């Protein structure tokens, strides 16, 4: 999404591409098919100090969401759909995830695997273990880094990575939180599932992403205030997640609430009223905006 500098010198906010919106309204624009993606809100902390959430700042050179704060995540790799053996999968079954996410079973597996894989690729955190009752305690060694780099380069698929390491993916450590689809007027579109997960004991985050120039743990309320002051750039889904986390006192509390979250897809829509562009998101009235011509 696009951004423009504020006159006050504060960080930019999202400014939608008005000309593309007008072209869409005139029937002159064919929307890009959204690519499936998964994002994970890594949480840590207990009440009354938690939760804290791990955020990345995307480089200003990035073609999508440049300079914006986001969570670890990325597009689904077609190889994420390769069936995993029952021994390599712990937690809710692919069928149960399919029911929760509202998609076919192969797609559900791909989204869940992408969430775990992308978290390892971008934050160095791995939601997997030697058994259904264990979680890897440390992923900072040279061997782990070589495997992570191979995943990033797509030289190694996620199923192959698990098999090589003798690991079980811990899908029970994920909680589905929300689903947002990039607006039809954007040039790059994603159908993104957002998950929450607690940072496993013993593991440490690090900015392993080639797309981010900064990474930090932040309190949701403080990050949201930074956005409101125009100091932090965020897309609508990102700030929506932060606002939703403010009511929880710990990572465990937020994860426990994930099962009750509505996963209906949120799609920011645009319409023309005269020469003005009006944006709205069903169920998220705070994002309703009128952009005069």
């Amino acid at each position: 999404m696009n951004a423009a500098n504020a006159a006050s010198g504060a960080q930019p906010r999202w400014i939608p591409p008005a000309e593309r919106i007008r072209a869409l309204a005139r029937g002159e624009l064919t929307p890009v098919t959204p690519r499936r993606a998964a994002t994970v809100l890594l949480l840590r902390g207990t009440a009354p100090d938690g939760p804290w959430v791990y955020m990345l700042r995307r480089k200003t050179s990035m073609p999508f969401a440049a300079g914006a704060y986001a969570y670890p995540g990325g597009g689904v790799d077609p190889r994420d759909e390769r069936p995993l053996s029952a021994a390599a999968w712990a937690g809710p079954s692919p069928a149960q995830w399919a029911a929760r996410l509202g998609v076919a079973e192969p797609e559900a597996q791909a989204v869940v695997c992408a969430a775990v894989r992308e978290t390892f690729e971008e934050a160095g955190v791995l939601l997997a273990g030697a058994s259904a009752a264990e979680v890897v305690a440390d992923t900072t060694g040279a061997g782990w880094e070589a495997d992570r780099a191979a995943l990033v380069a797509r030289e190694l698929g996620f199923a192959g990575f698990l098999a090589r390491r003798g690991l079980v993916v811990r899908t029970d450590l994920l909680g589905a939180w929300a689903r947002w689809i990039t607006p039809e007027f954007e040039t790059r579109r994603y159908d993104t599932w957002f998950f929450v997960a607690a940072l496993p004991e013993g593991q440490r985050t690090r900015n392993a992403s080639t797309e981010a120039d900064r990474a930090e743990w932040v309190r949701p309320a403080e990050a949201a205030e930074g956005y409101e002051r125009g100091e932090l750039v965020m897309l609508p889904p990102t700030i929506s997640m932060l606002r939703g986390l403010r009511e929880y006192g710990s990572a465990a509390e937020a994860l426990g609430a994930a099962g009750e979250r509505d996963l209906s897809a949120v799609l920011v829509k645009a319409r023309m009223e005269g020469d003005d562009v009006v944006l709205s998101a069903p169920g998220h009235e705070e994002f309703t905006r009128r952009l005069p011509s």
Side-chain angles (χ1 to χ4, degrees), residues 40-219:
V40 176
L41 283 69
L42 277 175
L43 307 174
R44 74 177 188 191
T46 58
D49 298 324
W52 294 65
V53 61
Y54 185 70
M55 301 192 75
L56 305 171
R57 186 176 68 182
R58 292 173 60 81
K59 294 179 180 178
T60 56
S61 59
M62 296 303 297
F64 180 79
Y69 277 80
Y71 312 106
V76 172
D77 184 332
R79 291 177 297 178
D80 291 330
E81 288 190 7
R82 291 182 180 174
L84 298 178
S85 68
W89 185 282
S93 67
Q96 290 174 306
W97 275 110
R100 176 70 178 118
L101 301 180
V103 297
E105 192 170 324
E107 184 174 1
Q109 178 195 289
V111 170
V112 171
C113 286
V116 176
R117 176 181 52 75
E118 286 285 343
T119 303
F120 180 51
E121 288 182 10
E122 296 207 331
V125 171
L126 183 59
L127 304 177
S131 72
E134 300 175 79
V135 185
V136 172
D138 184 15
T139 63
T140 58
W144 287 108
E145 177 57 25
D147 281 350
R148 191 198 66 79
L151 284 169
V152 172
R154 300 299 182 260
E155 297 168 352
L156 177 65
F158 188 61
F161 165 69
L162 293 175
R164 173 187 294 185
R165 288 278 178 177
L167 295 174
V168 175
V169 62
R170 292 287 306 275
T171 75
D172 55 317
L173 300 181
L174 286 170
W177 195 256
R179 180 184 182 184
W180 283 67
I181 301 176
T182 309
E184 293 181 332
F185 49 77
E186 290 288 0
T187 57
R188 291 173 181 264
R189 301 187 65 214
Y190 298 90
D191 183 353
T192 305
W193 281 265
F194 291 80
F195 297 85
V196 291
L199 178 69
E201 185 176 353
Q203 292 197 38
R204 292 174 288 171
T205 54
R206 65 184 188 278
N207 183 9
S209 173
T210 59
E211 300 178 351
D213 60 11
R214 184 173 182 177
E216 59 186 308
W217 286 93
V218 299
R219 293 178 183 270

Side-chain angles (χ1 to χ4, degrees), residues 2-45:
N2 301 324
N5 291 323
S8 63
Q11 290 291 330
R13 293 253 184 127
W14 169 54
I15 303 296
E19 288 308 313
R20 288 184 60 84
I21 293 173
R22 293 187 173 91
L24 183 66
R26 293 192 298 265
E28 300 171 357
L29 180 68
T30 300
V32 175
T33 300
R35 180 186 177 190
R36 295 174 301 170
T39 292
V40 176
L41 283 69
L42 277 175
L43 307 174
R44 74 177 188 191

Side-chain angles (χ1 to χ4, degrees), residues 267-271 278-282 284-285 287-289:
L267 174 64
V268 175
K269 293 183 175 294
R271 66 180 186 276
V278 178
L279 300 176
S280 62
H284 296 267
E285 287 70 24
F287 296 120
T288 298
R289 297 177 61 188

